[in-house]
Amino acid sequence: MATDNSAVVLRPAIAQGVTAMPFLTDMLEQTQRKRALDGVLSVENRAPDGLVQAHLCVNSSLESRYRFDIGVIMASLRSEILGQDAALQSVEDMLKVVRADITDPRRPLFTALFLGPTGVGKTEIVRALARALHGDADAFCRVDMNTLSQEHYAAALTGAPPGYVGAKEGTTLLDQEKLEGSVGRPGIMLFDELEKASPQVVQTLLNVLDNGMLTVASGERTYSFRNTLIFMTSNLAAHEIQRYDQRRTGWRGLIRGATAASRQRAVDGLVRARLLKAFAPEFINRIDKVITFNWIEQGVAEQLAALEVKRLNRRLQKHGCTLEVTPPVLARVIANGFDRQFGARALRRSMRQHLEVPLAGYLIDHHAGAAATANIVYLAVLEHGEVHFLRR
């Protein structure tokens, strides 16, 4: 009987062990997937070797709580953001004021609104700044405002009010660690596609832009933006600017007698009128700088295509190979991908269709899985209207 009882006792334990194994297997697989994804993102997001370390050797007689090399940052930004000289100059001016530590300590370090058409680098400039400052293109707190289009979504920023589920936790979309930045370097906040948020959500930002503090609705936690660079992006006025340029130029450049300065004054007027229709004056008045991005012009298309090839080569490192692209192939990518209205995203789609797809097929059929330390060079050439690859 004792033996029978032991068998009865052991059966549930065995059953529990059997059911627990799939759970452990799922956990291991999830950990492996996350580790693989983190590795891929690290290659894509990390700064070049030595860039972040350069901030530790900043050459300036001025001592302040911030230590970063403006020249190093701007060189990195200008290598990634093309055709936006005015926007880059505004960022450089902002960095000078922050580096000198003469900002109002009761407000965010800087608040900027980036306006302009899609695909011109409004979000990418924030990613490039995060990479140059902190060594990681994702080292900033980002809130996609298109997900906060309903009035009740304001709680996603301010936390649930007292009496509601989650009020005591004070949970929000904000990441205090990324808002604070690191030693000697400011944090970065991005509110992306601002115009798509509900008016109530935008209203919650008034105190943030004014005094750099946001207290959650329960009153139990406060987020500080006083060591933070705040950026907002919007496509507002893009259509108005597009219609203005079409009337004046027919897409072929400035008409005779018109100057860049006169166009800029007209564009600034269009932007101001559109902003006042979309946002309250007290909100606009809290923004330090409104920056309008230019259209992507044909003249920088070749540089953008070369930049995309450079990014592709970063992703090829894990396969131990490098891609060189001949001018005819680049010309085909540009001819099929340049679109002034859709900017760099249209060029990326052309890169995918005309270069990455045939390259992927070639690698699957011919690449021998070289170690990441190897450096096999492939050459992309155009033959009979098709892209082919040769091993050099």
Side-chain angles (χ1 to χ4, degrees):
M1 292 297 294
T3 303
D4 293 340
N5 288 341
S6 299
V8 172
V9 171
L10 286 173
R11 284 190 193 107
I14 294 172
Q16 288 174 7
V18 171
T19 57
M21 287 304 294
F23 173 72
L24 293 174
T25 302
D26 289 345
M27 287 186 64
L28 288 173
E29 290 178 351
Q30 183 178 356
T31 301
Q32 290 172 348
R33 286 195 300 269
K34 184 178 184 304
R35 187 175 299 165
L37 178 59
D38 289 345
V40 171
L41 288 175
S42 175
V43 171
E44 187 72 14
N45 292 334
R46 71 187 178 204
D49 293 339
L51 191 148
V52 176
Q53 286 72 19
H55 298 313
L56 303 178
C57 307
V58 60
N59 184 20
S60 174
S61 58
L62 177 67
E63 292 293 333
S64 78
R65 57 183 170 139
Y66 297 109
R67 292 190 62 81
F68 53 81
D69 192 312
I70 297 174
V72 169
I73 292 174
M74 294 312 302
S76 179
L77 263 60
R78 289 192 170 96
S79 70
E80 297 189 53
I81 308 300
L82 305 175
Q84 305 296 343
D85 294 341
L88 288 169
Q89 186 59 55
S90 295
V91 171
E92 183 173 3
D93 294 342
M94 170 269 296
L95 289 174
K96 289 178 181 178
V97 176
V98 173
R99 172 65 181 86
D101 196 13
I102 56 175
T103 59
D104 186 342
R106 296 164 298 182
R107 299 185 67 242
L109 296 174
F110 183 75
T111 303
L113 174 60
F114 292 159
L115 298 178
T118 182
V120 296
K122 299 188 299 296
T123 301
E124 192 61 31
I125 197 173
V126 179
R127 290 176 50 81
L129 180 60
R131 181 186 289 113
L133 263 176
H134 301 291
D136 184 352
D138 285 338
F140 64 97
C141 183
R142 175 175 177 171
V143 175
D144 291 314
M145 303 298 269
N146 57 11
T147 64
L148 307 179
S149 58
Q150 301 298 320
E151 178 180 347
H152 58 275
Y153 287 157
L157 285 180
T158 62
Y164 285 78
V165 174
K168 291 184 178 180
E169 291 81 3
T171 303
T172 78
L173 295 174
L174 303 174
D175 185 331
Q176 184 65 63
E177 182 177 350
K178 290 182 178 179
L179 294 178
E180 291 177 352
S182 57
V183 177
R185 276 160 276 176
I188 302 174
M189 177 77 223
L190 173 63
F191 295 105
D192 213 7
E193 297 188 294
L194 181 69
E195 80 282 3
K196 296 180 181 177
S198 73
Q200 289 72 24
V201 172
V202 175
Q203 189 76 12
T204 64
L205 298 181
L206 283 176
N207 277 344
V208 171
L209 304 186
D210 192 36
N211 61 26
M213 305 295 285
L214 175 66
T215 301
V216 298
S218 65
E220 296 187 6
R221 185 172 183 180
T222 298
Y223 290 86
S224 174
F225 294 77
R226 292 179 174 176
N227 193 51
T228 308
L229 306 170
I230 298 179
F231 298 99
M232 300 172 284
T233 70
S234 173
N235 294 328
L236 280 176
H239 294 302
E240 289 85 345
I241 297 172
Q242 180 181 358
R243 286 196 295 268
Y244 170 82
D245 282 341
Q246 286 176 326
R247 287 198 308 269
R248 306 264 305 170
T249 70
W251 300 95
R252 288 187 296 272
L254 293 172
I255 62 172
R256 185 174 299 174
T259 64
S262 66
R263 178 192 177 276
Q264 190 60 50
R265 286 193 296 271
V267 167
D268 289 344
L270 291 172
V271 168
R272 179 178 175 81
R274 189 67 182 87
L275 284 177
L276 287 171
K277 285 183 180 179
F279 303 114
E282 60 268 25
F283 178 80
I284 300 172
N285 202 32
R286 285 167 167 78
I287 300 172
D288 295 324
K289 185 76 172 179
V290 177
I291 303 168
T292 304
F293 279 58
N294 300 320
W295 301 95
I296 297 295
E297 301 292 351
Q298 181 77 41
V300 299
E302 186 173 343
Q303 294 172 274
L304 282 172
L307 182 60
E308 290 299 321
V309 172
K310 181 179 178 181
R311 290 170 175 167
L312 174 59
N313 275 319
R314 281 206 299 262
R315 299 193 288 272
L316 288 173
Q317 287 178 2
K318 59 180 172 287
H319 297 305
C321 61
T322 301
L323 179 68
E324 294 181 2
V325 182
T326 58
V329 175
L330 273 184
R332 181 181 184 183
V333 169
I334 294 168
N336 287 277
F338 177 76
D339 190 316
R340 193 170 187 264
Q341 183 176 3
F342 294 103
R345 289 191 177 94
L347 196 62
R348 290 193 190 107
R349 287 191 289 271
S350 182
M351 284 282 297
R352 170 64 60 89
Q353 179 181 352
H354 298 289
L355 187 60
E356 292 180 6
V357 169
L359 175 62
Y362 180 84
L363 291 177
I364 290 171
D365 293 337
H366 300 93
H367 190 60
T373 54
N375 187 25
I376 298 174
V377 180
Y378 294 111
L379 181 67
V381 298
L382 195 64
E383 296 178 356
H384 308 295
E386 299 292 334
V387 177
H388 296 276
F389 299 92
L390 307 173
R391 179 168 174 171
R392 299 193 67 173

